Amino acid sequence: MSQHLARPADRYSPLYFLAALGAGGLAVTFFMFLLFWVPHPGRPVPIFEDIMAAFATGGPALQTAIVVAMAGIAAMAFLHFKSLFWNLSQYRAFKRTPAYQDLANSNGETQLLAMPLALAMAVNAGFILGLVFVPGLWGIVEYLFPFAMVAFLAIGILALRMIGDFLGRVLTKGGVFDVTAHNSFAQLLPAFSLTMVAVGFAAPAAMSTTPLIAGISLIGSTFFGFAGILYAVVAAVTAFNSMLHYGTARESGPTLMIVVPLLTVLGIMFLRQSHGLHVSFDAHTAAADNLVFLTRIVAVQVIFLLLGLLVLRRQGYFADFVFGSKTSPGSYALVCPGVAMSVMLQFWINKGLVANALVAKFSTGYWVLTAVAIAFQVAMIVLVLRLNRQHFGRPASGTAVPAE
C-alpha cells in the first residue's frame, strides 16, 4: 500500500485505540472536579442528585466548575466512543489483511492489546456518564455491579487470550522475538491493559455495600492487577536492557512514560480496595498511610516522566511527530501520561495533603497545586485535538509512519 494516503489514519494500526483511550481518560479528569469539589455525603462518589444540589446551592465558582465538568465529560465521552466504534470497525477489516498477519508474527503483536485496553476504559467512561447524568441511578447501582464485573471479566479474558497467543508463540519458538526491536517500553502495553481491567473491577469494592459483591471485586481486581504488575516488571527489565544496548526506538519513544498511567490505575485500584475493606470488612487505613502511598506513586511517575521527556527531546520526537509533518499512531501514547498525572495529582492533593491537614481545602496553596493538575489536563486536551487533526484530517502532505 502506498505510504502517501488521503490521511494518515487510513493506514490503520491497532495503536489508534489509544486515541479512544486518551479521550476516555480526559473524561475522567473532568470527573475529578465533581469527585473532590461537590459534596456527596454518605457516598464514595457524587451522583446526579448531589451535583444538582451543589449547583442549586453553590456559588458562581462551584456552578462554573460543575458546568465545565459536565460539559467536559460529555464532550470527551462522545469523542471516546466515536473513536472506539471507528477503531472496532477498522480493526475487523484490518484482521483480514496481510498487514495483520505480519503484525501478529512480530514483536508488534502486543499492539493488539490496545483494543481490550480501550474497551475497559469504555466501561469506566460509561459508569461515569451514568453517575453524572442519570437521575436515580444510585437506587439500582447494586444490581449493576455484577454486570460491570462480568464485563470486566470478559475484557480481562480477552486480554489474557491475546497475551497467551503472543507468549505461546515467542516462548515456544526460538528466534521469533527480535530482541533488537525490544528497545522501548512498547511491550508494557499488555500490562497496561490488565491493570485497566483491574481498576474497573475494583470499583464495586469501593461503592458496594454488599460484602459478597465487594469481596468478588477485591479478588478479581487483585488477580488482574498483579498479573499486570508481574508482566510489567518482566517486560520493563528486558526492555531496559535492550535500550541500553541499542538505544530507544524513535517511533516508540513515548512508551517510556507508560509507567505513569500504569501507576495511576494501580494506585486508584489500591485506594478502591482499601475503601472496600473499610466499608465491608472493617479493615481501616490511616490517612497518613494514603499520603505516603500516593507520594511514592507520584515520585516514581515524575521520574519516568522526566526520563521520557529527556529521551524524546534529544531524539527530536516532538519536532517531527507532534509539531512537524511526520505522523505515527504511537504519538497517542503521549496523551496517557499527562492524563494520568492530572488524575493522580488530584488524588495526592485531596486524599493525601488535604486529608492530613497539610493543605487546607480551597486555600491559595490548594489552588496553586490544583492548577498543576489542571495544566496537565488542558495540555492533553490540546494534544488530543492536535493529534486528531494530524491523523484524521486530510493534510496536503504527510507520511504515515508505523510504530514499531
Side-chain angles (χ1 to χ4, degrees):
M1 182 181 295
S2 172
Q3 292 274 1
H4 299 280
L5 304 165
R7 58 181 189 171
D10 289 335
R11 178 170 181 169
Y12 183 72
S13 165
L15 290 179
Y16 278 120
F17 276 106
L18 297 181
L21 178 71
L26 284 170
V28 176
T29 64
F30 282 105
F31 184 69
M32 293 297 101
F33 296 0
L34 304 177
L35 179 63
F36 294 121
W37 302 344
V38 170
H40 43 93
R43 280 180 290 271
V45 290
I47 60 174
F48 175 81
E49 288 76 8
D50 296 322
I51 298 166
M52 291 300 101
F55 187 83
T57 60
L62 180 57
Q63 290 177 335
T64 301
I66 290 173
V67 170
V68 170
M70 295 183 74
I73 290 169
M76 291 301 121
F78 172 79
L79 197 60
H80 164 74
F81 284 106
K82 177 183 176 183
S83 180
L84 179 64
F85 294 144
W86 177 85
N87 269 283
L88 291 172
S89 174
Q90 295 297 311
Y91 182 79
R92 283 193 295 269
F94 177 68
K95 288 189 70 173
R96 298 191 292 268
T97 66
Y100 173 83
Q101 296 302 324
D102 292 340
L103 184 68
N105 288 286
S106 69
N107 290 19
E109 184 179 4
T110 52
Q111 293 180 16
L112 303 178
L113 270 296
M115 179 179 66
L117 175 61
L119 290 174
M121 175 58 80
V123 180
N124 289 321
F127 204 80
I128 288 176
L129 287 173
L131 291 174
V132 174
F133 294 104
V134 180
L137 183 70
W138 199 252
I140 60 169
V141 72
E142 290 288 349
Y143 299 101
L144 300 179
F145 289 143
F147 293 102
M149 289 191 293
V150 168
F152 282 115
L153 178 61
I155 296 169
I157 291 173
L158 173 63
L160 289 173
R161 288 184 60 183
M162 288 180 166
I163 294 171
D165 289 341
F166 172 71
L167 292 180
R169 179 175 62 84
V170 301
L171 295 179
T172 58
K173 300 177 183 178
V176 299
F177 186 80
D178 185 359
V179 178
T180 65
H182 186 31
N183 53 338
S184 72
F185 278 173
Q187 295 298 325
L188 269 70
L189 187 58
F192 191 13
S193 184
L194 291 171
T195 55
M196 185 63 73
V197 170
V199 72
F201 218 123
M207 291 184 276
S208 178
T209 56
T210 305
L212 178 61
I213 295 295
I216 294 172
S217 172
L218 284 165
I219 294 168
S221 59
T222 298
F223 172 79
F224 285 107
F226 275 85
I229 291 171
L230 179 61
Y231 197 103
V233 170
V234 174
V237 170
T238 55
F240 205 78
N241 179 63
S242 183
M243 284 187 282
L244 290 175
H245 280 83
Y246 307 108
T248 303
R250 192 160 183 261
E251 288 80 18
S252 299
T255 64
L256 288 176
M257 297 181 287
I258 197 173
V259 173
V260 178
L262 198 150
L263 286 175
T264 289
V265 295
L266 283 173
I268 296 173
M269 181 196 78
F270 285 121
L271 288 176
R272 287 175 169 179
Q273 289 182 334
S274 177
H275 186 78
L277 288 169
H278 166 70
V279 172
S280 298
F281 302 100
D282 201 31
H284 305 285
T285 300
D289 294 329
N290 287 334
L291 172 63
V292 173
F293 172 66
L294 292 170
T295 301
R296 288 169 177 168
I297 287 180
V298 171
V300 176
Q301 288 179 313
V302 170
I303 290 169
F304 275 94
L305 192 65
L306 292 174
L307 173 64
L309 291 175
L310 170 68
V311 173
L312 291 173
R313 183 177 63 83
R314 295 222 173 163
Q315 290 182 329
Y317 186 93
F318 291 99
D320 283 344
F321 295 102
V322 177
F323 303 111
S325 60
K326 294 182 180 179
T327 59
S328 169
S331 298
Y332 280 98
L334 291 170
V335 179
C336 300
V339 167
M341 283 303 305
S342 179
V343 171
M344 185 48 63
L345 284 174
Q346 290 275 21
F347 274 95
W348 179 65
I349 293 165
N350 291 277
K351 293 292 187 181
L353 301 181
V354 173
N356 287 277
L358 296 178
V359 173
K361 193 164 187 176
F362 303 141
S363 65
T364 301
Y366 177 89
W367 288 119
V368 169
L369 292 170
T370 300
V372 179
I374 294 175
F376 273 107
Q377 177 188 23
V378 172
M380 292 308 102
I381 293 172
V382 173
L383 179 60
V384 164
L385 296 177
R386 166 76 179 177
L387 292 176
N388 284 351
R389 186 165 62 251
Q390 282 183 310
H391 289 260
F392 295 92
R394 298 190 178 276
S397 64
T399 302
V401 180
E404 298 298 330

